[in-house]
Amino acid sequence: MTDAEKKLLQAKHRLEEAQARDRVKERKARTRRLIQEGAILEKAMPEVRGMELSELEAYLLRHRAK
């Protein structure tokens, strides 16, 4: 393997690592947002706390703002 090929391979790996870090960062941001939204929902509508997910979805669809 030539020196140029090694450098190209290293650059490719650095790019892949950066992309993996970005995916982790995006996933963590989404998880945080979903947790915060769920907390707001439970605070605003305490009756949803004990519902199964399918019940919650049906409840929200019935009571959404029109």
Side-chain angles (χ1 to χ4, degrees):
M1 182 176 288
T2 68
D3 198 39
E5 290 172 330
K6 287 180 186 178
K7 287 182 180 181
L8 182 61
L9 188 58
Q10 287 176 338
K12 180 182 174 189
H13 287 155
R14 280 194 299 273
L15 177 62
E16 289 171 353
E17 289 173 358
Q19 290 171 336
R21 282 191 303 272
D22 288 344
R23 284 191 301 273
V24 168
K25 188 176 179 180
E26 289 171 8
R27 188 181 73 243
K28 286 185 178 188
R30 180 178 185 269
T31 298
R32 178 176 170 81
R33 179 183 53 82
L34 291 172
I35 290 169
Q36 290 173 328
E37 289 174 354
I40 291 168
L41 174 65
E42 286 185 351
K43 185 176 180 181
M45 304 173 85
E47 65 273 18
V48 304
R49 284 190 181 138
M51 291 183 184
E52 295 290 327
L53 291 178
S54 58
E55 293 174 302
L56 174 60
E57 182 180 16
Y59 179 84
L60 292 174
L61 290 173
R62 281 193 312 270
H63 292 90
R64 67 179 170 193
K66 296 183 181 189

Coordinates of all heavy atoms in Angstrom, one line a residue:
M1 N 0.9 -1.2 0.0 CA 0.0 0.0 0.0 C 0.9 1.2 0.0 O 1.8 1.4 0.8 CB -0.9 0.0 1.3 CG -1.9 1.1 1.3 SD -3.0 1.0 2.7 CE -4.1 -0.3 2.3
T2 N 0.6 2.1 -0.9 CA 1.5 3.3 -1.0 C 1.1 4.3 0.1 O 0.0 4.2 0.7 CB 1.3 4.0 -2.4 OG1 0.0 4.5 -2.5 CG2 1.5 3.0 -3.5
D3 N 1.9 5.3 0.2 CA 1.7 6.4 1.3 C 0.4 7.1 0.9 O -0.3 7.5 1.8 CB 2.9 7.3 1.3 CG 3.0 8.1 2.6 OD1 2.7 7.5 3.6 OD2 3.3 9.3 2.5
A4 N 0.2 7.4 -0.3 CA -1.0 8.1 -0.7 C -2.3 7.3 -0.4 O -3.3 7.8 0.0 CB -1.0 8.5 -2.2
E5 N -2.2 6.0 -0.6 CA -3.3 5.1 -0.3 C -3.6 5.1 1.2 O -4.8 5.1 1.6 CB -3.1 3.7 -0.9 CG -3.1 3.6 -2.4 CD -2.7 2.2 -2.9 OE1 -1.8 1.6 -2.2 OE2 -3.2 1.8 -3.9
K6 N -2.5 5.1 2.0 CA -2.7 5.1 3.4 C -3.4 6.3 3.9 O -4.3 6.3 4.7 CB -1.3 4.9 4.1 CG -0.8 3.5 4.0 CD 0.6 3.4 4.7 CE 1.2 2.1 4.5 NZ 2.6 2.0 5.1
K7 N -2.9 7.5 3.3 CA -3.5 8.7 3.7 C -5.0 8.8 3.3 O -5.8 9.3 4.1 CB -2.7 9.9 3.1 CG -1.4 10.1 3.8 CD -0.6 11.3 3.2 CE 0.7 11.4 3.9 NZ 1.5 12.6 3.4
L8 N -5.3 8.3 2.1 CA -6.7 8.3 1.7 C -7.5 7.4 2.6 O -8.7 7.8 3.0 CB -6.8 7.8 0.2 CG -8.1 7.8 -0.4 CD1 -8.7 9.2 -0.5 CD2 -8.1 7.1 -1.8
L9 N -7.0 6.3 3.0 CA -7.8 5.4 3.9 C -8.0 6.0 5.2 O -9.1 5.9 5.8 CB -7.0 4.0 4.0 CG -7.7 2.9 4.8 CD1 -9.1 2.6 4.1 CD2 -6.8 1.7 4.8
Q10 N -6.9 6.7 5.7 CA -7.0 7.4 7.0 C -8.1 8.5 7.0 O -8.9 8.7 7.9 CB -5.7 8.0 7.4 CG -4.7 7.0 7.9 CD -3.3 7.6 8.2 OE1 -3.0 8.7 7.7 NE2 -2.5 6.9 9.0
A11 N -8.1 9.2 5.9 CA -9.1 10.3 5.7 C -10.5 9.7 5.7 O -11.4 10.3 6.2 CB -8.8 11.1 4.4
K12 N -10.6 8.6 5.0 CA -12.0 8.0 4.9 C -12.4 7.5 6.3 O -13.6 7.7 6.6 CB -11.9 6.7 4.0 CG -13.2 6.0 3.8 CD -13.0 4.8 2.9 CE -14.3 4.0 2.9 NZ -14.2 2.7 2.3
H13 N -11.5 7.0 7.1 CA -11.9 6.5 8.4 C -12.2 7.7 9.3 O -13.1 7.6 10.1 CB -10.7 5.7 9.0 CG -10.6 4.3 8.4 ND1 -9.5 3.6 8.4 CD2 -11.5 3.5 7.8 CE1 -9.7 2.4 7.8 NE2 -10.9 2.4 7.4
R14 N -11.5 8.8 9.2 CA -11.8 10.0 10.0 C -13.2 10.5 9.6 O -13.9 10.9 10.5 CB -10.7 11.1 9.8 CG -9.4 10.9 10.6 CD -8.6 12.1 10.6 NE -8.1 12.5 9.2 CZ -7.0 12.0 8.6 NH1 -6.3 11.1 9.2 NH2 -6.7 12.5 7.4
L15 N -13.5 10.5 8.4 CA -14.8 11.0 7.9 C -15.9 10.1 8.5 O -16.9 10.5 9.0 CB -14.9 11.0 6.4 CG -16.3 11.4 5.8 CD1 -16.7 12.8 6.2 CD2 -16.2 11.3 4.3
E16 N -15.7 8.7 8.4 CA -16.7 7.8 9.0 C -16.9 8.0 10.5 O -18.0 7.9 11.0 CB -16.3 6.4 8.6 CG -16.4 6.0 7.2 CD -15.8 4.7 6.8 OE1 -15.1 4.1 7.7 OE2 -15.9 4.2 5.7
E17 N -15.8 8.2 11.2 CA -15.8 8.5 12.6 C -16.6 9.7 12.9 O -17.4 9.8 13.8 CB -14.5 8.5 13.2 CG -13.8 7.2 13.3 CD -12.3 7.2 13.7 OE1 -11.8 8.4 14.0 OE2 -11.7 6.2 13.8
A18 N -16.4 10.8 12.1 CA -17.1 12.1 12.3 C -18.6 11.9 12.1 O -19.4 12.4 12.8 CB -16.5 13.1 11.4
Q19 N -18.9 11.1 11.0 CA -20.3 10.9 10.7 C -21.0 10.1 11.8 O -22.1 10.3 12.2 CB -20.4 10.2 9.4 CG -20.1 11.0 8.2 CD -20.0 10.3 6.9 OE1 -19.8 9.1 6.9 NE2 -20.2 11.0 5.8
A20 N -20.3 9.1 12.4 CA -20.8 8.3 13.5 C -21.0 9.2 14.7 O -22.1 9.1 15.4 CB -19.9 7.1 13.8
R21 N -20.1 10.1 15.0 CA -20.3 11.0 16.1 C -21.5 11.9 15.9 O -22.3 12.2 16.8 CB -19.0 11.9 16.3 CG -17.9 11.1 17.0 CD -16.8 12.1 17.5 NE -16.3 12.9 16.3 CZ -15.2 12.5 15.6 NH1 -14.7 11.3 15.8 NH2 -14.8 13.2 14.6
D22 N -21.7 12.4 14.7 CA -22.9 13.2 14.4 C -24.2 12.4 14.6 O -25.1 13.0 15.1 CB -22.8 13.7 12.9 CG -21.7 14.8 12.7 OD1 -21.2 15.4 13.8 OD2 -21.3 15.1 11.6
R23 N -24.2 11.2 14.1 CA -25.4 10.4 14.3 C -25.7 10.2 15.8 O -26.9 10.3 16.2 CB -25.3 9.0 13.6 CG -25.4 9.1 12.1 CD -25.5 7.7 11.5 NE -24.4 6.8 11.8 CZ -23.2 6.8 11.1 NH1 -23.1 7.5 10.0 NH2 -22.3 5.9 11.4
V24 N -24.7 9.9 16.6 CA -24.9 9.8 18.0 C -25.4 11.1 18.6 O -26.4 11.1 19.4 CB -23.6 9.3 18.8 CG1 -23.7 9.5 20.3 CG2 -23.3 7.9 18.3
K25 N -24.8 12.2 18.2 CA -25.3 13.5 18.7 C -26.7 13.8 18.4 O -27.5 14.3 19.2 CB -24.3 14.6 18.2 CG -24.5 15.9 18.7 CD -23.5 16.9 18.2 CE -23.6 18.3 18.7 NZ -22.7 19.2 18.2
E26 N -27.1 13.5 17.1 CA -28.5 13.7 16.7 C -29.4 12.8 17.4 O -30.5 13.3 17.8 CB -28.6 13.5 15.2 CG -27.9 14.5 14.3 CD -27.8 14.2 12.8 OE1 -28.4 13.2 12.4 OE2 -27.2 14.9 12.1
R27 N -29.1 11.6 17.6 CA -29.9 10.6 18.4 C -30.1 11.1 19.8 O -31.2 11.1 20.3 CB -29.3 9.2 18.3 CG -30.3 8.2 18.9 CD -29.7 6.8 18.9 NE -28.7 6.7 19.9 CZ -27.4 6.4 19.7 NH1 -26.9 6.2 18.5 NH2 -26.6 6.3 20.7
K28 N -29.1 11.6 20.4 CA -29.2 12.0 21.8 C -30.1 13.3 21.9 O -30.8 13.4 22.8 CB -27.8 12.3 22.4 CG -27.1 11.0 22.8 CD -25.7 11.3 23.4 CE -25.1 10.0 23.8 NZ -23.9 10.2 24.6
A29 N -29.9 14.2 20.9 CA -30.7 15.4 20.9 C -32.2 15.0 20.7 O -33.1 15.6 21.4 CB -30.3 16.3 19.8
R30 N -32.5 14.0 19.8 CA -33.9 13.6 19.6 C -34.4 13.0 20.9 O -35.6 13.2 21.3 CB -33.9 12.6 18.5 CG -35.3 12.1 18.2 CD -35.4 11.2 17.0 NE -36.7 10.8 16.7 CZ -37.3 9.7 17.2 NH1 -36.7 8.9 18.0 NH2 -38.6 9.4 16.8
T31 N -33.7 12.1 21.5 CA -34.1 11.5 22.8 C -34.4 12.5 23.8 O -35.5 12.4 24.5 CB -33.0 10.5 23.3 OG1 -32.8 9.5 22.3 CG2 -33.4 9.8 24.6
R32 N -33.6 13.5 24.0 CA -33.8 14.5 25.0 C -35.1 15.3 24.7 O -35.9 15.6 25.5 CB -32.6 15.5 25.0 CG -32.8 16.7 26.0 CD -31.5 17.5 26.0 NE -31.7 18.7 26.7 CZ -31.7 18.9 28.0 NH1 -31.4 17.8 28.8 NH2 -31.9 20.0 28.6
R33 N -35.3 15.6 23.4 CA -36.5 16.4 23.0 C -37.7 15.5 23.3 O -38.7 16.1 23.8 CB -36.4 16.7 21.5 CG -37.6 17.5 21.0 CD -37.5 17.8 19.5 NE -37.3 16.6 18.7 CZ -38.2 15.7 18.3 NH1 -39.5 15.9 18.6 NH2 -37.9 14.7 17.5
L34 N -37.7 14.3 22.9 CA -38.9 13.4 23.2 C -39.2 13.3 24.7 O -40.4 13.3 25.1 CB -38.6 12.0 22.6 CG -38.6 12.0 21.0 CD1 -38.2 10.6 20.5 CD2 -40.0 12.4 20.5
I35 N -38.2 13.2 25.5 CA -38.4 13.1 26.9 C -39.0 14.4 27.4 O -39.9 14.4 28.2 CB -37.1 12.8 27.6 CG1 -36.6 11.4 27.4 CG2 -37.2 13.0 29.2 CD1 -35.2 11.0 27.8
Q36 N -38.5 15.5 27.0 CA -39.0 16.8 27.4 C -40.5 17.0 26.9 O -41.3 17.5 27.7 CB -38.2 18.0 26.8 CG -36.8 18.0 27.5 CD -35.9 19.0 26.9 OE1 -36.0 19.3 25.7 NE2 -35.0 19.6 27.7
E37 N -40.8 16.6 25.7 CA -42.1 16.7 25.2 C -43.1 15.8 26.0 O -44.2 16.2 26.3 CB -42.2 16.3 23.7 CG -41.6 17.4 22.8 CD -41.5 17.0 21.4 OE1 -41.8 15.8 21.1 OE2 -41.1 17.8 20.6
G38 N -42.6 14.6 26.4 CA -43.4 13.7 27.2 C -43.7 14.3 28.5 O -44.8 14.2 29.1
A39 N -42.7 14.9 29.1 CA -42.9 15.5 30.5 C -43.9 16.7 30.4 O -44.7 16.8 31.3 CB -41.5 16.0 31.0
I40 N -43.8 17.5 29.3 CA -44.8 18.5 29.1 C -46.2 18.0 29.0 O -47.1 18.5 29.6 CB -44.4 19.4 28.0 CG1 -43.1 20.2 28.3 CG2 -45.5 20.4 27.6 CD1 -42.4 20.9 27.1
L41 N -46.3 16.9 28.2 CA -47.6 16.3 28.0 C -48.2 15.8 29.3 O -49.4 16.1 29.6 CB -47.5 15.1 27.0 CG -48.7 14.3 26.8 CD1 -49.8 15.1 26.1 CD2 -48.4 13.1 25.9
E42 N -47.4 15.1 30.1 CA -47.9 14.6 31.4 C -48.2 15.7 32.3 O -49.2 15.6 33.1 CB -46.8 13.7 32.0 CG -46.7 12.3 31.3 CD -45.8 11.4 32.1 OE1 -45.1 11.8 33.0 OE2 -45.8 10.2 31.7
K43 N -47.5 16.8 32.3 CA -47.8 17.9 33.1 C -49.1 18.6 32.7 O -49.9 19.0 33.6 CB -46.7 19.0 33.1 CG -46.8 20.1 34.0 CD -45.6 21.0 34.0 CE -45.8 22.2 34.9 NZ -44.6 23.1 34.9
A44 N -49.3 18.8 31.4 CA -50.5 19.4 30.9 C -51.7 18.5 31.0 O -52.9 19.0 31.2 CB -50.3 19.9 29.5
M45 N -51.5 17.2 30.9 CA -52.7 16.3 30.8 C -52.3 15.1 31.7 O -52.0 14.0 31.2 CB -52.9 15.8 29.4 CG -53.1 17.0 28.4 SD -53.2 16.4 26.7 CE -54.9 15.9 26.6
P46 N -52.4 15.2 33.0 CA -52.0 14.2 33.9 C -52.8 12.9 33.7 O -52.3 11.8 34.1 CB -52.3 14.7 35.3 CG -52.8 16.1 35.2 CD -52.9 16.4 33.7
E47 N -53.9 12.9 33.1 CA -54.7 11.7 32.9 C -54.1 10.7 31.9 O -54.4 9.6 31.9 CB -56.2 12.1 32.4 CG -56.2 12.7 31.0 CD -56.1 14.3 31.0 OE1 -55.6 14.8 32.0 OE2 -56.4 14.9 30.0
V48 N -53.1 11.2 31.2 CA -52.4 10.3 30.2 C -51.4 9.4 30.8 O -50.9 8.5 30.1 CB -51.9 11.1 29.0 CG1 -52.9 11.9 28.3 CG2 -50.7 11.9 29.4
R49 N -51.0 9.7 32.0 CA -49.8 9.0 32.6 C -50.0 7.4 32.7 O -49.0 6.7 32.4 CB -49.6 9.5 34.1 CG -48.9 10.8 34.1 CD -48.5 11.2 35.5 NE -47.9 12.5 35.4 CZ -48.1 13.5 36.3 NH1 -48.9 13.2 37.3 NH2 -47.5 14.6 36.1
G50 N -51.2 6.9 32.9 CA -51.4 5.5 33.0 C -51.8 4.8 31.8 O -52.1 3.6 31.8
M51 N -51.9 5.5 30.7 CA -52.4 5.0 29.4 C -51.3 4.2 28.7 O -50.1 4.5 28.7 CB -52.8 6.1 28.5 CG -54.1 6.8 28.9 SD -54.5 8.0 27.7 CE -55.9 8.8 28.5
E52 N -51.8 3.1 28.0 CA -50.9 2.4 27.1 C -50.7 3.3 25.9 O -51.4 4.2 25.6 CB -51.6 1.1 26.6 CG -51.8 0.1 27.7 CD -50.5 -0.5 28.2 OE1 -49.6 -0.7 27.4 OE2 -50.4 -0.8 29.4
L53 N -49.6 3.0 25.1 CA -49.3 3.9 24.0 C -50.4 4.0 23.0 O -50.7 5.1 22.4 CB -48.0 3.4 23.3 CG -46.7 3.7 24.1 CD1 -45.5 3.1 23.4 CD2 -46.5 5.1 24.5
S54 N -51.1 2.9 22.7 CA -52.2 2.9 21.7 C -53.3 3.7 22.2 O -54.0 4.4 21.5 CB -52.6 1.5 21.4 OG -53.1 0.8 22.6
E55 N -53.6 3.6 23.6 CA -54.7 4.4 24.2 C -54.3 5.9 24.1 O -55.2 6.7 23.8 CB -54.9 4.0 25.6 CG -55.4 2.7 25.9 CD -55.5 2.3 27.3 OE1 -54.4 2.4 28.0 OE2 -56.6 2.1 27.8
L56 N -53.1 6.2 24.4 CA -52.6 7.6 24.3 C -52.8 8.2 22.9 O -53.3 9.3 22.8 CB -51.2 7.7 24.8 CG -50.5 9.1 24.7 CD1 -51.3 10.1 25.5 CD2 -49.1 9.0 25.1
E57 N -52.4 7.4 22.0 CA -52.5 7.9 20.6 C -54.0 8.2 20.2 O -54.3 9.2 19.7 CB -51.9 6.9 19.6 CG -52.0 7.3 18.2 CD -51.4 6.3 17.2 OE1 -51.2 5.2 17.6 OE2 -51.1 6.7 16.1
A58 N -54.8 7.2 20.5 CA -56.3 7.4 20.2 C -56.8 8.6 21.0 O -57.6 9.4 20.4 CB -57.0 6.2 20.6
Y59 N -56.4 8.8 22.2 CA -56.9 9.9 23.1 C -56.4 11.2 22.4 O -57.2 12.2 22.3 CB -56.3 9.8 24.5 CG -56.7 10.9 25.4 CD1 -57.9 10.9 26.1 CD2 -55.8 12.0 25.6 CE1 -58.2 11.9 27.0 CE2 -56.2 13.0 26.5 CZ -57.4 13.0 27.2 OH -57.7 14.0 28.0
L60 N -55.2 11.3 22.1 CA -54.7 12.6 21.5 C -55.3 12.9 20.1 O -55.6 14.0 19.8 CB -53.1 12.5 21.3 CG -52.4 12.5 22.7 CD1 -50.9 12.3 22.4 CD2 -52.6 13.8 23.4
L61 N -55.6 11.8 19.3 CA -56.2 12.0 18.0 C -57.6 12.5 18.2 O -58.1 13.4 17.4 CB -56.2 10.8 17.2 CG -54.8 10.4 16.7 CD1 -54.8 9.0 16.0 CD2 -54.2 11.4 15.7
R62 N -58.3 12.1 19.3 CA -59.7 12.5 19.5 C -59.7 13.9 20.1 O -60.7 14.7 19.8 CB -60.4 11.6 20.6 CG -60.9 10.3 20.1 CD -61.8 9.6 21.1 NE -61.2 9.5 22.4 CZ -60.5 8.5 22.9 NH1 -60.2 7.5 22.1 NH2 -60.1 8.6 24.1
H63 N -58.7 14.3 20.8 CA -58.7 15.6 21.5 C -57.8 16.7 20.9 O -57.5 17.7 21.5 CB -58.3 15.4 23.0 CG -59.3 14.7 23.7 ND1 -59.3 13.3 23.8 CD2 -60.4 15.1 24.4 CE1 -60.3 12.9 24.5 NE2 -61.0 13.9 24.9
R64 N -57.3 16.4 19.7 CA -56.4 17.4 19.1 C -57.1 18.7 18.7 O -58.3 18.7 18.4 CB -55.6 16.8 17.9 CG -56.5 16.5 16.7 CD -55.7 16.0 15.6 NE -56.6 15.5 14.5 CZ -56.2 14.7 13.6 NH1 -54.9 14.4 13.5 NH2 -57.0 14.4 12.7
A65 N -56.4 19.8 18.7 CA -57.0 21.1 18.3 C -57.3 21.0 16.8 O -56.5 20.5 16.0 CB -56.0 22.2 18.6
K66 N -58.4 21.6 16.5 CA -58.9 21.6 15.1 C -58.7 22.9 14.5 O -58.6 23.9 15.0 CB -60.3 21.1 15.0 CG -60.4 19.6 15.5 CD -61.8 19.1 15.4 CE -61.7 17.6 15.9 NZ -62.8 16.9 15.7

